[in-house]
């Protein structure tokens, strides 16, 4: 199978947000795919190959109703010829959440909704079958994290070519932890000194950290300590919890929009707020914000979508 995404994704200097002595850069993983990009594309690379190699015809996954992972799995899984089903759990409704769900349904998702996370395991168990590949929440198994291990090597090559200075800190949203875990593994092995700041957007942060490090250890054969020292977890931007917009996130979202950078309230507004805070405090010389939200236009994905408003 040829690769799903378009790599390398660009790196750019975010001049308007930089200061003398502390510069902000962006890694444009919003551009991983022209139809639906974002971080889930890299994770799906190996997940789809393995499902096909195992003879699966259906992908079964789960997520919150506005899950980008569910949308990415539906768009790219359907394109690869799979039937795609997901068990969906409620989350605070924002226009972005509703639009993402509508797009998933328009892309052919077979949705099974349940009232809480506690009901997910039974709903999954009922639908597992011999030709069904289960894809874990956020696509964050080792196969998924390996996509971000590879992405760290892609960044190292861009540093080598002089496209971006070597980052001191790489800032990324920390949700199901595959992105941060894979980056930790890749950065610890690709020759860069960069550390990852995982901006916790869910609870509890200590568990997110443990999951990220477990995934990192699944990607590379390095001592736990070598990985643990690469990962800092930032807990100050989560607000009341997963999916709840925050004032600092909204402010970051506004500031980013002046420069044409689109953020979402659940993940990237909080991560970008943390990145801005680091450069505003001159906490590091070079901060790389790793953008994880698709910037592909939503309108084509909404053609034929049910209206859920
Ligand atoms: C899923 C997602 C994340 C979180 O990535 P994880 O690997 O689950 O930690 C961050 N940003 C966006 C936009 C996402 O959709």
């Amino acid at each position: 199978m040829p690769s799903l995404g378009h790599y390398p994704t660009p790196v750019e200097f975010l001049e308007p947000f930089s200061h003398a002595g502390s510069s902000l850069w962006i890694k444009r993983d919003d551009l991983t795919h022209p139809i639906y990009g974002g971080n889930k594309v890299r994770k799906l690379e190996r997940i789809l190959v393995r499902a096909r190699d195992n003879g699966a015809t259906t992908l079964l996954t789960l997520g919150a109703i506005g899950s980008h992972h569910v949308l990415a799995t539906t768009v790219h899984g359907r394109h690869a010829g799979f039937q795609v089903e997901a068990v969906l759990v409620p989350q605070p409704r924002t226009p972005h959440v509703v639009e993402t769900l509508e797009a998933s349904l328009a892309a052919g998702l077979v949705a099974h909704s349940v009232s809480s996370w506690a009901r997910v395991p039974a709903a999954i168990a009922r639908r597992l079958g011999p030709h069904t590949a289960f894809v874990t929440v956020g696509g964050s198994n080792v196969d998924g994290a390996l996509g971000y291990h590879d992405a760290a090597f892609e960044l190292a090559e861009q540093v080598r070519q002089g496209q971006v200075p070597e980052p001191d800190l790489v800032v990324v949203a920390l949700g199901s932890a595959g992105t941060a875990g894979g980056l930790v593994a890749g950065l610890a092995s690709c020759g860069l000194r960069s550390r990852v700041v995982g901006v916790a957007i869910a609870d509890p942060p200590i568990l997110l950290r443990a999951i990220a490090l477990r995934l990192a250890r699944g990607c590379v054969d390095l001592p736990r300590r070598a990985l643990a020292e690469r990962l800092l977890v930032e807990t100050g931007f989560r607000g009341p919890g997963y999916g709840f917009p925050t004032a600092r996130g909204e402010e970051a979202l506004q500031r980013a929009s002046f420069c044409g950078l689109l953020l979402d309230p659940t993940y990237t507004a909080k991560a970008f707020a943390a990145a801005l805070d680091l450069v505003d405090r001159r906490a590091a010389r070079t901060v790389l914000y790793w953008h994880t939200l698709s910037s592909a236009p939503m309108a084509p994905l909404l053609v034929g979508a049910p209206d859920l408003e």
Side-chain angles (χ1 to χ4, degrees), residues 92-145:
R93 276 193 180 219
T94 64
H96 181 76
V97 162
V98 172
E99 188 177 75
T100 306
L101 175 58
E102 288 173 346
S104 293
L105 296 172
L109 176 71
V110 178
H112 310 286
S113 45
V114 292
S115 57
S116 73
W117 287 99
R119 299 199 186 265
V120 169
I124 295 282
R126 263 201 304 284
R127 292 178 177 88
L128 283 173
H131 300 292
T132 298
F134 173 67
V135 183
T136 195
V137 67
S140 287
N141 55 18
V142 171
D143 279 340

Side-chain angles (χ1 to χ4, degrees), residues 36 38-40 43 67-69 96 137-140 148 172-181 201 242 264 266-268 289-294:
Y36 191 68
N39 64 335
K40 304 308 184 296
K43 296 190 194 189
S67 165
H68 300 137
H69 158 69
H96 181 76
V137 67
S140 287
Y148 272 89
V172 73
L174 177 60
S176 63
T179 306
I201 55 80
Y242 181 81
D264 75 295
T266 299
Y267 296 100
T268 52
Y289 162 70
W290 203 300
H291 195 30
T292 48
L293 178 70
S294 175

Side-chain angles (χ1 to χ4, degrees), residues 165-221:
E166 179 172 21
D168 302 295
L169 299 174
V170 170
V171 179
V172 73
L174 177 60
S176 63
T179 306
L183 283 175
V184 162
L187 289 170
S189 21
C190 73
L192 295 181
R193 62 159 190 266
S194 319
R195 290 195 292 171
V196 174
V197 177
V199 182
I201 55 80
D203 298 286
I206 199 131
L207 181 64
L208 300 183
R209 180 180 165 81
I211 297 171
L213 290 176
R214 187 179 54 80
L215 288 168
R217 291 199 76 183
C219 293
V220 289
D221 191 11

